[in-house]
Amino acid sequence: MYQRAAFVLFLACGIVFQLCHGVEVQVKDQESKLCLYANLMVNFSVSYDIAGNKSATAEFVLPTAVTTVGSECDAKSSLLKLNFGEGHSWSVNFTNDNQVYQADSITFTYNLSDTALFPDSLNNDTKTSTVKPHITKVGLDTCYSCKSNDMLEDVSVNQTLFDVLIQAFVNNGSKSEQITSCAADTPSTVGPTTHAPTTHAPTTHAPTTHTTATPTTTPTTTPTPTLPSPTTGKYSLKLDNSSTVCLLADFGLRISLKQGDKYEEMNFEPNGTTVTGSCGVNSSELVLVSNTMNISFTFLNDTKKFRLHALNVTGKTSSGAAFSEANSSLSLWEAGVGSSYMCNKEQNYTITGLLTIYTFDLRVQPFGVKKDNFSTAHECSMDDTSILIPIIVGAALAGLILIVVIAYVIGRRKTYVGYQTL
Ligand SMILES: *[C@@H]1O[C@H](CO)[C@@H](O)[C@H](O)[C@H]1NC(C)=O
Ligand SMILES: *[C@@H]1O[C@H](CO)[C@@H](O)[C@H](O)[C@H]1NC(C)=O
Ligand SMILES: *[C@@H]1O[C@H](CO)[C@@H](O)[C@H](O)[C@H]1NC(C)=O
Ligand SMILES: *[C@@H]1O[C@H](CO)[C@@H](O)[C@H](O)[C@H]1NC(C)=O
Ligand SMILES: *[C@@H]1O[C@H](CO)[C@@H](O)[C@H](O)[C@H]1NC(C)=O
Ligand SMILES: *[C@@H]1O[C@H](CO)[C@@H](O)[C@H](O)[C@H]1NC(C)=O
Ligand SMILES: *[C@@H]1O[C@H](CO)[C@@H](O)[C@H](O)[C@H]1NC(C)=O
Ligand SMILES: *[C@@H]1O[C@H](CO)[C@@H](O)[C@H](O)[C@H]1NC(C)=O
Ligand SMILES: *[C@@H]1O[C@H](CO)[C@@H](O)[C@H](O)[C@H]1NC(C)=O
Ligand SMILES: *[C@@H]1O[C@H](CO)[C@@H](O)[C@H](O)[C@H]1NC(C)=O
Ligand SMILES: *[C@@H]1O[C@H](CO)[C@@H](O)[C@H](O)[C@H]1NC(C)=O
Ligand SMILES: *[C@@H]1O[C@H](CO)[C@@H](O)[C@H](O)[C@H]1NC(C)=O
């Protein structure tokens, strides 16, 4: 099963290599329609002061664990903000003139207190570097693509953008198939005649449709495997005062919280948890309050499908430090309205740069619960055993048939040969 998954991934990477190592994010507007898409890589080189009148250079890449909190989409201007690590962020500001759009500025904010990135830094401030990117004259309703390196220099920060695929001002919720390539990617014809970027249909970097709408799913955590599996909680909500169950959720939950360069893992204890929330037509909320944590899950009904849209976890760590981590641009646990989402395997989801959640024996149905029971499950791809079993049975049957056929052929030949010698 794992092999099969790996194989599919390998195929996808072979064809669309650039999608497999970049940081992919999707920003949704108030109607939860896609309004800004980006898949890119950024390398940073930052010089900072250390003791003895010297300076050090930190080199790092934009991690895949980013959140898009703070991103905004408007008709005329948009902001892509990627937050990562200990209070670092990288944002790009877009504007359009109804025909083309451009990136006005890239603002990189970095926190020199982060000793993991900036060891021995004398300064502990948060600094900002603003540069003007070379993303201009991108046709509206096209994706900007630039595989070439684009180095942007500032006083103490150099950043290199590469394998960039961006669409701002996405029209009506779906990313365009049209590409506007940067000049550096277009093989130079005779002389630098026009600087206008060329627009053409996508060739290799057409996005595969099975990329999930999750901002991030690749955690960078290194867990301590000492914690026992969390107890599976069974939670349900009733519609107003009636006895009708309108929301069902079963899962074991563990959270992992990044603190400095360490991770603290905590199991969510269902015993003694109070369950509140609301069931709506378009949105349902489940709020769990335990001794150690408050968690709220917001699910959206998007006409035909539901998904976990927002998650807010607040609580205290074992050392007593308060934390509050929230992300309201998630697209997890998607399934058709009227069915349930199920994932028995342990799964991990990066919610913010600091928070990763692990789920065990997950099954949720936030809409259309009938007769207080879960409806048909849409299983996550990790639970492929349901598909695998028929394949194994089919293969076994085919093998059996083959053996019978061979046995028959051999049998016939033997009889034939027998007659001959007689
Ligand atoms: C980006 O950084 C990584 C790791 O430091 C390095 O392997 C890669 O060559 C860099 N790429 C560019 C284009 O600078
Ligand atoms: C940025 O690049 C320039 C030119 O390559 C180089 O001189 C400078 O040292 C670099 N700065 C950093 C912080 O890497
Ligand atoms: C640090 O540099 C400044 C000027 O660049 C100089 O005046 C000072 O003596 C230096 N200090 C040390 C400890 O080297
Ligand atoms: C900067 O990093 C320090 C140490 O990791 C952290 O305590 C602080 O909250 C960070 N600042 C911001 C603005 O996130
Ligand atoms: C975009 O950048 C321009 C110029 O740097 C600035 O004036 C404007 O406020 C920015 N817009 C947003 C939404 O950040
Ligand atoms: C930052 O540096 C100042 C002065 O060097 C110091 O007083 C302050 O405690 C430091 N703050 C943190 C969070 O380390
Ligand atoms: C936008 O998409 C919706 C459904 O996805 C469709 O009903 C509507 O006609 C579209 N509007 C435009 C302007 O394309
Ligand atoms: C629920 O019950 C309370 C008291 O029993 C009543 O005041 C309230 O109106 C009821 N709400 C609904 C939606 O029926
Ligand atoms: C739940 O907690 C109560 C009181 O702390 C305890 O008596 C009970 O056995 C617990 N139940 C389970 C299933 O752990
Ligand atoms: C989901 O939303 C659609 C349209 O917004 C609505 O017709 C449908 O009744 C909703 N489903 C549930 C179970 O609330
Ligand atoms: C998360 O929940 C806490 C406490 O319930 C609240 O103070 C905070 O504003 C919430 N954050 C978001 C982003 O909703
Ligand atoms: C998160 O899940 C992926 C597979 O979905 C797995 O490869 C990875 O090891 C998991 N990470 C952690 C920290 O458990």
Side-chain angles (χ1 to χ4, degrees):
M1 188 181 82
Y2 280 112
Q3 259 175 352
R4 204 160 68 104
F7 179 64
V8 171
L9 218 84
F10 170 77
L11 266 183
C13 293
I15 299 162
V16 201
F17 179 70
Q18 103 167 30
L19 285 175
C20 288
H21 59 165
V23 177
E24 186 187 33
V25 293
Q26 309 202 0
V27 178
K28 310 256 168 103
D29 61 14
Q30 289 95 332
E31 295 161 6
S32 15
K33 275 188 179 169
L34 177 72
C35 64
L36 214 166
Y37 173 89
N39 187 329
L40 47 80
M41 294 191 78
V42 187
N43 273 12
F44 297 97
S45 166
V46 179
S47 79
Y48 60 98
D49 294 336
I50 56 171
N53 257 3
K54 280 193 267 185
S55 72
T57 305
E59 288 185 349
F60 52 95
V61 296
L62 180 68
T64 45
V66 297
T67 66
T68 53
V69 177
S71 299
E72 290 168 359
C73 291
D74 265 319
K76 284 270 155 219
S77 73
S78 285
L79 179 70
L80 172 67
K81 184 159 185 268
L82 305 180
N83 312 285
F84 60 98
E86 305 279 308
H88 313 296
S89 70
W90 184 84
S91 51
V92 193
N93 188 332
F94 298 93
T95 52
N96 76 64
D97 69 357
N98 289 330
Q99 284 182 334
V100 293
Y101 64 90
Q102 63 176 27
D104 293 326
S105 63
I106 291 184
T107 305
F108 171 51
T109 301
Y110 55 105
N111 177 2
L112 286 172
S113 310
D114 181 352
T115 49
L117 284 186
F118 308 108
D120 309 319
S121 172
L122 276 187
N123 200 317
N124 60 14
D125 296 344
T126 294
K127 300 226 170 196
T128 293
S129 155
T130 302
V131 287
K132 190 153 173 38
H134 306 122
I135 305 175
T136 55
K137 291 196 186 133
V138 187
L140 271 183
D141 205 20
T142 71
C143 278
Y144 170 82
S145 167
C146 198
K147 296 182 166 202
S148 311
N149 290 357
D150 183 7
M151 168 132 139
L152 302 162
E153 277 183 53
D154 193 14
V155 183
S156 36
V157 177
N158 285 350
Q159 40 185 307
T160 306
L161 274 66
F162 55 106
D163 278 356
V164 175
L165 186 65
I166 288 185
Q167 188 182 0
F169 309 106
V170 171
N171 191 8
N172 207 13
S174 51
K175 183 154 73 72
S176 174
E177 295 294 309
Q178 292 289 309
I179 300 276
T180 297
S181 291
C182 63
D185 276 4
T186 20
S188 54
T189 42
V190 195
T193 42
T194 51
H195 286 286
T198 49
T199 299
H200 59 82
T203 47
T204 48
H205 34 227
T208 45
T209 45
H210 55 245
T211 49
T212 51
T214 326
T216 50
T217 38
T218 345
T220 45
T221 49
T222 40
T224 41
T226 44
L227 228 51
S229 284
T231 319
T232 304
K234 293 183 186 297
Y235 314 99
S236 63
L237 277 183
K238 294 192 169 148
L239 197 61
D240 298 325
N241 289 345
S242 70
S243 57
T244 319
V245 173
C246 60
L247 182 152
L248 284 168
D250 291 2
F251 51 77
L253 183 70
R254 174 182 298 158
I255 72 161
S256 165
L257 201 65
K258 189 165 188 260
Q259 293 178 288
D261 41 18
K262 291 204 182 65
Y263 295 90
E264 175 163 358
E265 299 205 331
M266 287 177 266
N267 280 346
F268 185 79
E269 179 52 58
N271 192 10
T273 293
T274 49
V275 184
T276 54
S278 60
C279 289
V281 172
N282 294 321
S283 134
S284 290
E285 194 183 22
L286 174 68
V287 181
L288 304 177
V289 178
S290 79
N291 292 333
T292 50
M293 283 176 240
N294 292 11
I295 307 184
S296 79
F297 301 83
T298 309
F299 298 91
L300 286 189
N301 163 11
D302 208 353
T303 324
K304 289 200 184 78
K305 281 188 158 182
F306 70 79
R307 63 176 191 272
L308 175 65
H309 178 64
L311 186 68
N312 183 353
V313 183
T314 56
K316 284 212 168 74
T317 64
S318 58
S319 59
F323 66 86
S324 178
E325 292 293 316
N327 185 343
S328 51
S329 55
L330 300 170
S331 294
L332 303 175
W333 308 351
E334 273 184 312
V337 169
S339 64
S340 60
Y341 178 84
M342 182 159 107
C343 207
N344 286 323
K345 277 257 152 47
E346 174 184 335
Q347 288 285 49
N348 60 65
Y349 307 94
T350 303
I351 305 301
T352 67
L354 301 183
L355 177 73
T356 301
I357 66 167
Y358 295 78
T359 59
F360 302 75
D361 299 321
L362 170 74
R363 188 156 186 193
V364 289
Q365 185 168 355
F367 299 100
V369 174
K370 295 224 167 60
K371 294 183 190 149
D372 303 356
N373 269 314
F374 282 115
S375 309
T376 338
H378 169 91
E379 292 193 41
C380 64
S381 50
M382 296 306 286
D383 287 347
D384 264 353
T385 33
S386 53
I387 301 169
L388 210 63
I389 289 166
I391 291 174
I392 292 171
V393 170
L397 268 176
L400 210 69
I401 290 169
L402 204 72
I403 290 169
V404 169
V405 167
I406 290 170
Y408 173 77
V409 168
I410 290 173
R412 263 190 65 129
R413 274 193 64 178
K414 270 226 170 105
T415 348
Y416 183 66
V417 170
Y419 273 122
Q420 279 259 313
T421 47
L422 258 173

